[in-house]
Amino acid sequence: MNKHITLLAGASSLFLIPSLAFAAPAKSNDEVIAGLRDNALQADNIAYDIVEGLTTEIGPRQGGTAAEARARIWAVAKLKALGFENVRVEEYQMPTWVRGTETAEITAPFTQKMVVAALGNSASTGDAGIDAEIVYFPIIDDLRTAPDGSLKGKIAFVSHNMKATQDGSSYGAFGPARFVGPNIAAKKGAAAIVIRSTGTDYHRNPHTGNTNFEPGVAPIPAGALSIPDAENLERMIARGKPVRMKLKLTPQNVGMQTSGNVLAEVKGSNPDLPIIVIACHLDSWDLGTGAIDDAAGCGIIGAAAKHLKSMGQPKRTVRLLWAGAEEVGIWGGRDYGEKHTSEPHAFAMESDFGAGKVWAIDFNLSDSASALRTQIISALAPLGVVPRKDAAGGGADVGAIIAAQKLGIIDLQQDGTKYFDLHHTPDDTLDKIEKAELRQNVAAWVATLAYIANYEGELKPEPAQ
Amino acid sequence: MNKHITLLAGASSLFLIPSLAFAAPAKSNDEVIAGLRDNALQADNIAYDIVEGLTTEIGPRQGGTAAEARARIWAVAKLKALGFENVRVEEYQMPTWVRGTETAEITAPFTQKMVVAALGNSASTGDAGIDAEIVYFPIIDDLRTAPDGSLKGKIAFVSHNMKATQDGSSYGAFGPARFVGPNIAAKKGAAAIVIRSTGTDYHRNPHTGNTNFEPGVAPIPAGALSIPDAENLERMIARGKPVRMKLKLTPQNVGMQTSGNVLAEVKGSNPDLPIIVIACHLDSWDLGTGAIDDAAGCGIIGAAAKHLKSMGQPKRTVRLLWAGAEEVGIWGGRDYGEKHTSEPHAFAMESDFGAGKVWAIDFNLSDSASALRTQIISALAPLGVVPRKDAAGGGADVGAIIAAQKLGIIDLQQDGTKYFDLHHTPDDTLDKIEKAELRQNVAAWVATLAYIANYEGELKPEPAQ
């Protein structure tokens, strides 16, 4: 529990006798919330414990797999132990793809192995692999403009060089090499595609992630090279001779499997007020242990909701959604949206961008809530959080319920400068978590939640422009 | 060639007419050497080109393998192209060990894959692997004191936590977990051993390296876990239940194979003066591309010797030894010592500690050379190089010839703070080379060589204490 708050409460009760010369007033709501915030910033261990537990006792937990099922059992036990109410699993079925063997080797004009990982939904090369000439596209747009059929029997190589940005916007700009590059290459007849990993590090750890093929387009083998390997391949290509690669990727589609969301609640005192949903995702990619993506998010929202309870019962119910199968297609978020579409929600938040400090806050709240907005901005200012004019968007797992019910949203934007060094790589492990930064997230979240969960006015989004 | 020097030479020749009012003196030897140094610091590209070429066109080149043979062909062509004399290969035979499949998975009380690499000379687990209980030793001394037979049927796990040091001394202190840990565990009856990688990074890239078993001790399977995996395993152990690992390592001994040294020379003008040998090693471990270990060393000594030639013919012959098979047992250095034991040498230097800046200089030179020593210290001072009182030791590949002939030695000590982040890992790739730091090495080397190669006095080591 909250040692700092306990001390303050003890101290202030001493001073509440009005006849004392130095009597202090009862603590205001703002002061109580500031206390919750500062306590989390100084001393929260709940978030770290959740990340430590998931990464140590479960590790990788890809959507639809047995490891994700173990993670649900773990999550239910942890959320119950933290004292949340209505802890439960909501299952659903989903098609599941799993990684096989993966090797890549340059066979001409030099001989050298490279480090590769299949992208989610990649086809298999078969055990024999594919030995084919590389066709080089420095950026994704070069692939888009390649003539149809020009890639027949070749391996396309797209080296789309992403750089780090604080707000993560480079993912949207450079991610299409992964998101749609394989589909484009397949339509142009390529035998396979390899991309420079969508990432910003220099380690021999490829960045996996889903890719998608349009209906009617037969999937091709699709892999991500580690960034040092992609740059090595570029240097080989620059020498001017044809470069050949032997590529072996043997993933499989294993059919419909069970996945599920884990839900838990802090029950509100007024059942007439629509609820607040806060989300992270429980699944992770299979290469790392899913520390920053997204055990951190589950740690942050779990810790913030736990600290919120120490203030007493909030007016609105706060529901935690530890979503399943986000990485492989947002199956959990969609299932939540469908199953809860007729249950009144007011507001949504999500934490799914690592464990870097919250540096900005974005809102999607109508003007009727402007006083609330000002309170939250003031409460987050000591944490160095900048209010911006960007409209909050929520996140993948709250996307379906937001779309269904037009919810108010706040985004606590995390610093993503280092996020894409680790995203979807084997390197996403516990040691990458900075405790002080994780605590700052919990502090920002508990203060925000404390205002929102006790606000009885409307939490509508801004009217559509 | 040396643009800066050419300009200076042109300018000074203008001023050499004695009757001019502002006549400048002819450049002193010190000034010429300072020019070589400064030019290398500003503009050397030779060292980087060597590293780029070896890592791109050859890549991993383990001693005794076909890749190392390709590296020798590459090296001969490069050293001839740089204009060195007597470029040649000296072959020898050596026993060769090669990596196979390697996987590790925790099977109880949790289920999670770990990243492992076999250590050189590891035995094979066979294709079936070994599934056994882990016995944990926080440091190597704990393993040393375990009772004989206490490890029967178990996998020893030694987690000896190395930290970075500028002078690399932590390798000597923490390396024994790798160097002798497997031998100790084998003698105590262990089925296998895994160690925390001997390294200082936090990436999922294990540090391989040789281990050695005493004659009469049957080798056991021996692997290094990446550091995030070793810490994860420690956290599992801390939960107090027995931890089991399924370990599969299938390396093979492939018998006697051909390896070789590549030699090249800058011929001296006085054949009566004993020669100088400068060494790096051409082979590398198989996981990375051998950029810092030790293409950098070959780049540094190659570039320094090339720049030395621009000063005109030195008095002493400078021989470059690009040694073979250092990593797997210093086979090249020993072969050089044996084959050249009767050829008079005066002095040795070696570059084999990455591409970090030279921060210190150590000598092993008798007092008769104290003036030379002062000149070199002065020439290196502008590069920020600290003269120390430690006696120079040379290095692995010049060890045999030093021992045979009692040579003078200078060590240009490189900053090793980041070296063990990369050492023997897949991450030892070109992108880790900082060009400015590599150039500073070349500058320090060319200045040192220029004094030594033109010194006609004795270059004896200090008398034994």
Side-chain angles (χ1 to χ4, degrees), chain B residues 84-114:
Chain B
F84 293 111
E85 297 152 279
N86 292 337
V87 179
R88 63 206 188 273
V89 173
E90 290 181 350
E91 290 186 351
Y92 49 86
Q93 300 294 306
M94 54 167 286
T96 301
W97 172 99
V98 295
R99 188 178 306 284
T101 300
E102 31 205 30
T103 60
E105 185 167 7
I106 301 302
T107 55
F110 312 116
T111 307
Q112 191 169 147
K113 288 182 185 170
M114 298 205 154

mmCIF file of all heavy atoms in Angstrom, chain B residues 84-114:
data_model
loop_
_atom_site.group_PDB
_atom_site.id
_atom_site.type_symbol
_atom_site.label_atom_id
_atom_site.label_comp_id
_atom_site.label_asym_id
_atom_site.label_seq_id
_atom_site.Cartn_x
_atom_site.Cartn_y
_atom_site.Cartn_z
ATOM 1 N N PHE B 84 52.613 -3.553 -50.779
ATOM 2 C CA PHE B 84 53.586 -4.187 -49.885
ATOM 3 C C PHE B 84 54.427 -5.210 -50.644
ATOM 4 O O PHE B 84 54.013 -5.724 -51.690
ATOM 5 C CB PHE B 84 52.877 -4.849 -48.696
ATOM 6 C CG PHE B 84 52.230 -3.853 -47.777
ATOM 7 C CD1 PHE B 84 50.839 -3.751 -47.691
ATOM 8 C CD2 PHE B 84 53.005 -2.980 -47.016
ATOM 9 C CE1 PHE B 84 50.240 -2.820 -46.858
ATOM 10 C CE2 PHE B 84 52.399 -2.037 -46.173
ATOM 11 C CZ PHE B 84 51.017 -1.961 -46.102
ATOM 12 N N GLU B 85 55.565 -5.523 -50.088
ATOM 13 C CA GLU B 85 56.482 -6.488 -50.722
ATOM 14 C C GLU B 85 56.381 -7.847 -50.038
ATOM 15 O O GLU B 85 55.934 -7.940 -48.897
ATOM 16 C CB GLU B 85 57.926 -5.953 -50.602
ATOM 17 C CG GLU B 85 58.107 -4.628 -51.357
ATOM 18 C CD GLU B 85 59.195 -3.752 -50.741
ATOM 19 O OE1 GLU B 85 58.909 -3.068 -49.734
ATOM 20 O OE2 GLU B 85 60.332 -3.753 -51.268
ATOM 21 N N ASN B 86 56.873 -8.859 -50.754
ATOM 22 C CA ASN B 86 56.943 -10.222 -50.206
ATOM 23 C C ASN B 86 55.615 -10.691 -49.613
ATOM 24 O O ASN B 86 55.582 -11.306 -48.537
ATOM 25 C CB ASN B 86 58.027 -10.314 -49.113
ATOM 26 C CG ASN B 86 59.420 -10.159 -49.713
ATOM 27 O OD1 ASN B 86 59.624 -10.398 -50.909
ATOM 28 N ND2 ASN B 86 60.372 -9.750 -48.881
ATOM 29 N N VAL B 87 54.533 -10.390 -50.296
ATOM 30 C CA VAL B 87 53.215 -10.829 -49.805
ATOM 31 C C VAL B 87 53.103 -12.331 -50.059
ATOM 32 O O VAL B 87 53.336 -12.800 -51.170
ATOM 33 C CB VAL B 87 52.076 -10.074 -50.521
ATOM 34 C CG1 VAL B 87 50.716 -10.570 -50.019
ATOM 35 C CG2 VAL B 87 52.220 -8.565 -50.312
ATOM 36 N N ARG B 88 52.792 -13.084 -49.024
ATOM 37 C CA ARG B 88 52.793 -14.539 -49.168
ATOM 38 C C ARG B 88 51.986 -15.196 -48.048
ATOM 39 O O ARG B 88 51.715 -14.578 -47.012
ATOM 40 C CB ARG B 88 54.214 -15.078 -49.138
ATOM 41 C CG ARG B 88 54.938 -14.828 -47.820
ATOM 42 C CD ARG B 88 56.441 -14.788 -48.037
ATOM 43 N NE ARG B 88 57.210 -14.743 -46.799
ATOM 44 C CZ ARG B 88 57.528 -13.604 -46.164
ATOM 45 N NH1 ARG B 88 57.127 -12.414 -46.591
ATOM 46 N NH2 ARG B 88 58.277 -13.660 -45.061
ATOM 47 N N VAL B 89 51.650 -16.469 -48.290
ATOM 48 C CA VAL B 89 50.929 -17.264 -47.288
ATOM 49 C C VAL B 89 51.870 -18.333 -46.752
ATOM 50 O O VAL B 89 52.615 -18.953 -47.513
ATOM 51 C CB VAL B 89 49.688 -17.930 -47.923
ATOM 52 C CG1 VAL B 89 49.029 -18.899 -46.943
ATOM 53 C CG2 VAL B 89 48.687 -16.874 -48.381
ATOM 54 N N GLU B 90 51.849 -18.526 -45.458
ATOM 55 C CA GLU B 90 52.552 -19.672 -44.849
ATOM 56 C C GLU B 90 51.485 -20.579 -44.220
ATOM 57 O O GLU B 90 50.861 -20.202 -43.225
ATOM 58 C CB GLU B 90 53.541 -19.193 -43.785
ATOM 59 C CG GLU B 90 54.736 -18.471 -44.413
ATOM 60 C CD GLU B 90 55.760 -17.987 -43.381
ATOM 61 O OE1 GLU B 90 55.468 -18.038 -42.154
ATOM 62 O OE2 GLU B 90 56.843 -17.556 -43.803
ATOM 63 N N GLU B 91 51.298 -21.735 -44.817
ATOM 64 C CA GLU B 91 50.239 -22.642 -44.364
ATOM 65 C C GLU B 91 50.700 -23.554 -43.228
ATOM 66 O O GLU B 91 51.900 -23.785 -43.057
ATOM 67 C CB GLU B 91 49.766 -23.518 -45.530
ATOM 68 C CG GLU B 91 49.002 -22.737 -46.578
ATOM 69 C CD GLU B 91 48.415 -23.642 -47.651
ATOM 70 O OE1 GLU B 91 48.734 -24.853 -47.676
ATOM 71 O OE2 GLU B 91 47.629 -23.119 -48.470
ATOM 72 N N TYR B 92 49.753 -24.059 -42.499
ATOM 73 C CA TYR B 92 49.985 -25.082 -41.465
ATOM 74 C C TYR B 92 48.689 -25.863 -41.302
ATOM 75 O O TYR B 92 47.639 -25.446 -41.803
ATOM 76 C CB TYR B 92 50.410 -24.444 -40.132
ATOM 77 C CG TYR B 92 49.510 -23.320 -39.709
ATOM 78 C CD1 TYR B 92 48.346 -23.563 -38.996
ATOM 79 C CD2 TYR B 92 49.810 -22.001 -40.074
ATOM 80 C CE1 TYR B 92 47.497 -22.536 -38.651
ATOM 81 C CE2 TYR B 92 48.956 -20.967 -39.739
ATOM 82 C CZ TYR B 92 47.809 -21.232 -39.032
ATOM 83 O OH TYR B 92 46.948 -20.218 -38.695
ATOM 84 N N GLN B 93 48.759 -26.980 -40.626
ATOM 85 C CA GLN B 93 47.592 -27.835 -40.380
ATOM 86 C C GLN B 93 47.130 -27.664 -38.933
ATOM 87 O O GLN B 93 47.959 -27.456 -38.037
ATOM 88 C CB GLN B 93 47.956 -29.307 -40.634
ATOM 89 C CG GLN B 93 48.423 -29.572 -42.062
ATOM 90 C CD GLN B 93 47.310 -29.355 -43.071
ATOM 91 O OE1 GLN B 93 46.232 -29.933 -42.946
ATOM 92 N NE2 GLN B 93 47.550 -28.488 -44.054
ATOM 93 N N MET B 94 45.858 -27.792 -38.698
ATOM 94 C CA MET B 94 45.333 -27.643 -37.334
ATOM 95 C C MET B 94 44.040 -28.445 -37.176
ATOM 96 O O MET B 94 43.250 -28.571 -38.103
ATOM 97 C CB MET B 94 45.049 -26.176 -37.028
ATOM 98 C CG MET B 94 44.134 -25.517 -38.057
ATOM 99 S SD MET B 94 43.512 -23.913 -37.508
ATOM 100 C CE MET B 94 42.305 -24.448 -36.298
ATOM 101 N N PRO B 95 43.778 -28.941 -35.946
ATOM 102 C CA PRO B 95 42.511 -29.638 -35.688
ATOM 103 C C PRO B 95 41.382 -28.608 -35.675
ATOM 104 O O PRO B 95 41.558 -27.505 -35.150
ATOM 105 C CB PRO B 95 42.709 -30.240 -34.299
ATOM 106 C CG PRO B 95 43.739 -29.372 -33.647
ATOM 107 C CD PRO B 95 44.616 -28.841 -34.748
ATOM 108 N N THR B 96 40.250 -28.975 -36.243
ATOM 109 C CA THR B 96 39.194 -27.975 -36.455
ATOM 110 C C THR B 96 37.861 -28.462 -35.890
ATOM 111 O O THR B 96 37.459 -29.604 -36.123
ATOM 112 C CB THR B 96 39.103 -27.639 -37.955
ATOM 113 O OG1 THR B 96 40.375 -27.133 -38.383
ATOM 114 C CG2 THR B 96 38.030 -26.601 -38.235
ATOM 115 N N TRP B 97 37.229 -27.567 -35.162
ATOM 116 C CA TRP B 97 35.932 -27.802 -34.511
ATOM 117 C C TRP B 97 34.924 -26.886 -35.177
ATOM 118 O O TRP B 97 35.228 -25.708 -35.386
ATOM 119 C CB TRP B 97 36.092 -27.458 -33.028
ATOM 120 C CG TRP B 97 34.847 -27.432 -32.187
ATOM 121 C CD1 TRP B 97 34.383 -28.418 -31.360
ATOM 122 C CD2 TRP B 97 33.926 -26.337 -32.045
ATOM 123 N NE1 TRP B 97 33.231 -28.017 -30.725
ATOM 124 C CE2 TRP B 97 32.924 -26.740 -31.132
ATOM 125 C CE3 TRP B 97 33.833 -25.064 -32.603
ATOM 126 C CZ2 TRP B 97 31.856 -25.926 -30.752
ATOM 127 C CZ3 TRP B 97 32.767 -24.252 -32.251
ATOM 128 C CH2 TRP B 97 31.792 -24.689 -31.328
ATOM 129 N N VAL B 98 33.749 -27.382 -35.528
ATOM 130 C CA VAL B 98 32.735 -26.504 -36.130
ATOM 131 C C VAL B 98 31.381 -26.641 -35.437
ATOM 132 O O VAL B 98 31.000 -27.719 -34.984
ATOM 133 C CB VAL B 98 32.567 -26.739 -37.656
ATOM 134 C CG1 VAL B 98 33.837 -26.363 -38.419
ATOM 135 C CG2 VAL B 98 32.175 -28.180 -37.964
ATOM 136 N N ARG B 99 30.692 -25.546 -35.394
ATOM 137 C CA ARG B 99 29.390 -25.435 -34.728
ATOM 138 C C ARG B 99 28.329 -26.237 -35.456
ATOM 139 O O ARG B 99 28.349 -26.345 -36.677
ATOM 140 C CB ARG B 99 29.001 -23.958 -34.723
ATOM 141 C CG ARG B 99 27.787 -23.561 -33.929
ATOM 142 C CD ARG B 99 27.591 -22.027 -34.008
ATOM 143 N NE ARG B 99 28.802 -21.336 -33.599
ATOM 144 C CZ ARG B 99 29.201 -21.206 -32.334
ATOM 145 N NH1 ARG B 99 28.466 -21.709 -31.352
ATOM 146 N NH2 ARG B 99 30.318 -20.589 -32.049
ATOM 147 N N GLY B 100 27.364 -26.781 -34.707
ATOM 148 C CA GLY B 100 26.208 -27.439 -35.318
ATOM 149 C C GLY B 100 24.935 -26.700 -34.957
ATOM 150 O O GLY B 100 24.908 -25.470 -34.866
ATOM 151 N N THR B 101 23.877 -27.448 -34.730
ATOM 152 C CA THR B 101 22.606 -26.896 -34.232
ATOM 153 C C THR B 101 22.784 -26.514 -32.766
ATOM 154 O O THR B 101 23.543 -27.172 -32.041
ATOM 155 C CB THR B 101 21.527 -27.995 -34.334
ATOM 156 O OG1 THR B 101 21.422 -28.365 -35.700
ATOM 157 C CG2 THR B 101 20.181 -27.532 -33.820
ATOM 158 N N GLU B 102 22.072 -25.479 -32.310
ATOM 159 C CA GLU B 102 22.140 -25.171 -30.879
ATOM 160 C C GLU B 102 20.828 -24.570 -30.415
ATOM 161 O O GLU B 102 20.395 -23.544 -30.910
ATOM 162 C CB GLU B 102 23.334 -24.255 -30.551
ATOM 163 C CG GLU B 102 23.747 -23.286 -31.627
ATOM 164 C CD GLU B 102 25.205 -22.876 -31.519
ATOM 165 O OE1 GLU B 102 26.039 -23.665 -31.033
ATOM 166 O OE2 GLU B 102 25.512 -21.749 -31.896
ATOM 167 N N THR B 103 20.208 -25.264 -29.456
ATOM 168 C CA THR B 103 18.959 -24.782 -28.864
ATOM 169 C C THR B 103 18.988 -25.059 -27.361
ATOM 170 O O THR B 103 19.624 -26.003 -26.905
ATOM 171 C CB THR B 103 17.719 -25.495 -29.467
ATOM 172 O OG1 THR B 103 17.832 -26.897 -29.220
ATOM 173 C CG2 THR B 103 17.597 -25.248 -30.963
ATOM 174 N N ALA B 104 18.283 -24.201 -26.638
ATOM 175 C CA ALA B 104 18.127 -24.408 -25.186
ATOM 176 C C ALA B 104 16.702 -24.019 -24.830
ATOM 177 O O ALA B 104 16.179 -23.030 -25.348
ATOM 178 C CB ALA B 104 19.111 -23.556 -24.398
ATOM 179 N N GLU B 105 16.079 -24.814 -23.986
ATOM 180 C CA GLU B 105 14.704 -24.520 -23.576
ATOM 181 C C GLU B 105 14.527 -24.904 -22.113
ATOM 182 O O GLU B 105 14.919 -26.005 -21.708
ATOM 183 C CB GLU B 105 13.721 -25.313 -24.447
ATOM 184 C CG GLU B 105 12.273 -24.972 -24.165
ATOM 185 C CD GLU B 105 11.321 -25.524 -25.230
ATOM 186 O OE1 GLU B 105 11.780 -26.274 -26.113
ATOM 187 O OE2 GLU B 105 10.120 -25.203 -25.148
ATOM 188 N N ILE B 106 13.965 -23.993 -21.344
ATOM 189 C CA ILE B 106 13.603 -24.339 -19.972
ATOM 190 C C ILE B 106 12.338 -25.190 -20.042
ATOM 191 O O ILE B 106 11.378 -24.828 -20.735
ATOM 192 C CB ILE B 106 13.362 -23.062 -19.139
ATOM 193 C CG1 ILE B 106 14.625 -22.184 -19.126
ATOM 194 C CG2 ILE B 106 12.920 -23.413 -17.719
ATOM 195 C CD1 ILE B 106 15.862 -22.865 -18.593
ATOM 196 N N THR B 107 12.339 -26.323 -19.353
ATOM 197 C CA THR B 107 11.174 -27.226 -19.418
ATOM 198 C C THR B 107 10.420 -27.301 -18.092
ATOM 199 O O THR B 107 9.288 -27.784 -18.065
ATOM 200 C CB THR B 107 11.618 -28.648 -19.822
ATOM 201 O OG1 THR B 107 12.629 -29.107 -18.911
ATOM 202 C CG2 THR B 107 12.198 -28.663 -21.232
ATOM 203 N N ALA B 108 11.032 -26.809 -17.011
ATOM 204 C CA ALA B 108 10.335 -26.759 -15.718
ATOM 205 C C ALA B 108 11.064 -25.761 -14.812
ATOM 206 O O ALA B 108 12.264 -25.649 -14.904
ATOM 207 C CB ALA B 108 10.343 -28.142 -15.038
ATOM 208 N N PRO B 109 10.352 -25.040 -13.955
ATOM 209 C CA PRO B 109 8.910 -25.057 -13.719
ATOM 210 C C PRO B 109 8.143 -24.217 -14.741
ATOM 211 O O PRO B 109 6.911 -24.189 -14.679
ATOM 212 C CB PRO B 109 8.791 -24.428 -12.327
ATOM 213 C CG PRO B 109 9.928 -23.468 -12.258
ATOM 214 C CD PRO B 109 11.039 -24.089 -13.055
ATOM 215 N N PHE B 110 8.854 -23.543 -15.639
ATOM 216 C CA PHE B 110 8.209 -22.755 -16.685
ATOM 217 C C PHE B 110 8.649 -23.344 -18.026
ATOM 218 O O PHE B 110 9.460 -24.268 -18.068
ATOM 219 C CB PHE B 110 8.607 -21.278 -16.556
ATOM 220 C CG PHE B 110 8.482 -20.740 -15.164
ATOM 221 C CD1 PHE B 110 9.594 -20.311 -14.451
ATOM 222 C CD2 PHE B 110 7.231 -20.689 -14.542
ATOM 223 C CE1 PHE B 110 9.482 -19.843 -13.157
ATOM 224 C CE2 PHE B 110 7.101 -20.217 -13.235
ATOM 225 C CZ PHE B 110 8.226 -19.794 -12.542
ATOM 226 N N THR B 111 8.131 -22.814 -19.105
ATOM 227 C CA THR B 111 8.485 -23.292 -20.437
ATOM 228 C C THR B 111 8.888 -22.086 -21.261
ATOM 229 O O THR B 111 8.059 -21.206 -21.511
ATOM 230 C CB THR B 111 7.280 -23.979 -21.104
ATOM 231 O OG1 THR B 111 6.775 -24.964 -20.223
ATOM 232 C CG2 THR B 111 7.694 -24.643 -22.414
ATOM 233 N N GLN B 112 10.160 -22.021 -21.642
ATOM 234 C CA GLN B 112 10.625 -20.841 -22.369
ATOM 235 C C GLN B 112 11.932 -21.174 -23.080
ATOM 236 O O GLN B 112 12.821 -21.782 -22.477
ATOM 237 C CB GLN B 112 10.831 -19.692 -21.371
ATOM 238 C CG GLN B 112 11.052 -18.370 -22.015
ATOM 239 C CD GLN B 112 11.010 -17.163 -21.072
ATOM 240 O OE1 GLN B 112 11.717 -16.220 -21.307
ATOM 241 N NE2 GLN B 112 10.219 -17.188 -20.011
ATOM 242 N N LYS B 113 12.043 -20.767 -24.350
ATOM 243 C CA LYS B 113 13.288 -20.968 -25.081
ATOM 244 C C LYS B 113 14.330 -19.954 -24.655
ATOM 245 O O LYS B 113 13.992 -18.817 -24.311
ATOM 246 C CB LYS B 113 13.039 -20.824 -26.587
ATOM 247 C CG LYS B 113 12.271 -21.992 -27.175
ATOM 248 C CD LYS B 113 12.106 -21.820 -28.680
ATOM 249 C CE LYS B 113 11.227 -22.947 -29.230
ATOM 250 N NZ LYS B 113 10.839 -22.718 -30.635
ATOM 251 N N MET B 114 15.584 -20.357 -24.736
ATOM 252 C CA MET B 114 16.680 -19.436 -24.452
ATOM 253 C C MET B 114 17.667 -19.444 -25.617
ATOM 254 O O MET B 114 17.696 -20.393 -26.400
ATOM 255 C CB MET B 114 17.384 -19.828 -23.157
ATOM 256 C CG MET B 114 16.451 -19.762 -21.967
ATOM 257 S SD MET B 114 17.295 -19.508 -20.396
ATOM 258 C CE MET B 114 15.957 -18.730 -19.482
#
